[in-house]
């Protein structure tokens, strides 16, 4: 039985994961947040002090990353440890951007991502899903918003935490990651030629969910 694969790409802070997770839940799909895989390896690199100079490539045989789905909810395992709650800091975000430029890291994760898509109806989000990981996806969406809007959303998400960065720092981090993701040599962030562009700067969360759900339902019918 053929699975339905939806690819959602876009820059950091565009809401890809939260929107994909909600749409997947409504449609009974699996949500695969591939950015979480790179974040897990970024966390490994931070912990192992191998982030600089591409040293993480030399550690690749010591890294085992898994996605597990419990009741449809994704959990991220790094060498058997559930690190889901440890990979959302700005530091890990920047580390993820660095390790994602390492060819050995991308090769390690590519087969895992393709296997998930082959076995499940999946909404997979990341930065090169439509262009590289799932080039034959049934629907490709490039989800974006202005850097200022993405920074504002991230600040509202983090502001209750005692170590919440300032809005200005979050904006600077987002702009830095955008540049790094778009200019890396290996699989840079880009909109696939056949992807639907969806700019959510002036859209509410529920409006975006409804819009994407409608597009997928048309494919299913």
């Amino acid at each position: 039985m053929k699975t339905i694969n939806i690819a959602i790409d876009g820059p950091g802070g565009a809401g890809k994961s939260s929107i994909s997770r909600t749409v997947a839940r409504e449609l009974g799909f699996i949500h695969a947040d591939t950015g979480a895989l790179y974040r897990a390896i970024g966390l490994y690199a931070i912990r192992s002090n191998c982030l600089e100079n591409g040293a993480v490539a030399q550690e690749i045989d010591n890294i085992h990353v898994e996605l597990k789905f419990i009741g449809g909810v994704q959990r991220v395992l790094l060498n058997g440890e559930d690190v889901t709650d440890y990979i959302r800091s700005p530091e890990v975000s920047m580390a993820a951007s660095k390790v994602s430029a390492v060819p050995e890291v991308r090769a390690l994760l590519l087969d895992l991502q393709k296997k998930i898509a082959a076995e499940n109806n999946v909404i997979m989000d990341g930065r090169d899903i439509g262009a590289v990981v799932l080039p034959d996806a049934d629907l490709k969406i490039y989800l974006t918003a202005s850097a200022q809007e993405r920074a504002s959303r991230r600040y509202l998400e983090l502001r209750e935490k005692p170590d919440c960065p300032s809005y200005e720092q979050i904006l600077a981090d987002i702009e830095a990651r955008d540049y790094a993701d778009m200019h890396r040599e290996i699989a840079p962030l880009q909109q696939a030629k056949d992807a639907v562009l969806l700019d959510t700067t002036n859209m509410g969360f529920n409006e975006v969910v409804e819009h994407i759900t409608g597009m997928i339902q048309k494919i299913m019918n």
Side-chain angles (χ1 to χ4, degrees):
M1 180 177 177
K2 183 184 181 301
T3 58
I4 298 175
N5 294 169
I6 310 300
I8 299 184
D9 293 302
K16 299 185 301 295
S17 295
S18 55
I19 288 168
S20 298
R21 186 183 309 114
T22 303
V23 174
R25 187 184 306 120
E26 291 191 7
L27 295 176
F29 282 34
I30 289 295
H31 165 233
D33 171 11
T34 65
L37 297 171
Y38 289 99
R39 286 174 177 270
I41 295 180
L43 179 63
Y44 178 94
I46 292 171
R47 289 176 172 179
S48 303
N49 197 29
C50 63
L51 185 58
E52 301 303 326
N53 302 319
V56 68
Q58 301 173 17
E59 290 283 324
I60 207 72
D61 291 338
N62 299 321
I63 302 173
H64 182 62
V65 183
E66 297 176 87
L67 291 184
K68 287 197 173 181
F69 300 95
I70 302 174
V73 178
Q74 175 183 281
R75 305 298 295 181
V76 186
L77 275 64
L78 171 63
N79 293 338
E81 175 192 357
D82 187 337
V83 296
T84 308
D85 298 329
Y86 303 108
I87 59 175
R88 294 299 169 185
S89 71
E91 180 186 18
V92 172
S93 179
M94 292 305 297
S97 183
K98 286 188 176 182
V99 301
S100 67
V102 178
E104 291 85 353
V105 171
R106 304 200 73 84
L108 174 68
L109 298 180
L110 182 61
D111 288 344
L112 172 59
Q113 295 168 33
K114 286 182 174 293
K115 184 174 186 292
I116 292 171
E119 296 176 351
N120 301 277
N121 290 336
V122 65
I123 299 178
M124 186 173 290
D125 75 77
R127 285 168 172 73
D128 66 342
I129 306 304
V132 177
V133 180
L134 301 178
D136 298 320
D138 298 276
L139 173 65
K140 302 176 185 179
I141 298 171
Y142 189 84
L143 188 70
T144 190
S146 70
Q148 292 77 14
E149 176 64 19
R150 287 182 280 138
S152 178
R153 293 173 184 173
R154 184 65 57 83
Y155 177 73
L156 290 175
E157 177 186 343
L158 298 174
R159 66 179 177 176
E160 299 301 327
K161 297 185 177 181
D163 56 348
C164 175
S166 67
Y167 165 82
E168 290 76 15
Q169 183 58 55
I170 293 173
L171 177 59
D173 288 344
I174 282 177
E175 291 176 336
R177 177 148 197 198
D178 283 354
Y179 184 88
D181 288 344
M182 291 177 181
H183 290 84
R184 67 188 180 214
E185 292 185 11
I186 306 297
L189 169 64
Q190 59 182 316
Q191 179 181 343
K193 292 181 179 179
D194 52 348
V196 177
L197 175 64
L198 184 56
D199 188 326
T200 69
T201 301
N202 297 309
M203 297 175 70
F205 181 86
N206 291 335
E207 184 181 0
V208 178
V209 168
E210 183 177 346
H211 187 77
I212 293 177
T213 300
M215 285 194 288
I216 297 173
Q217 286 175 330
K218 287 182 180 180
I219 293 173
M220 296 172 66
N221 296 331

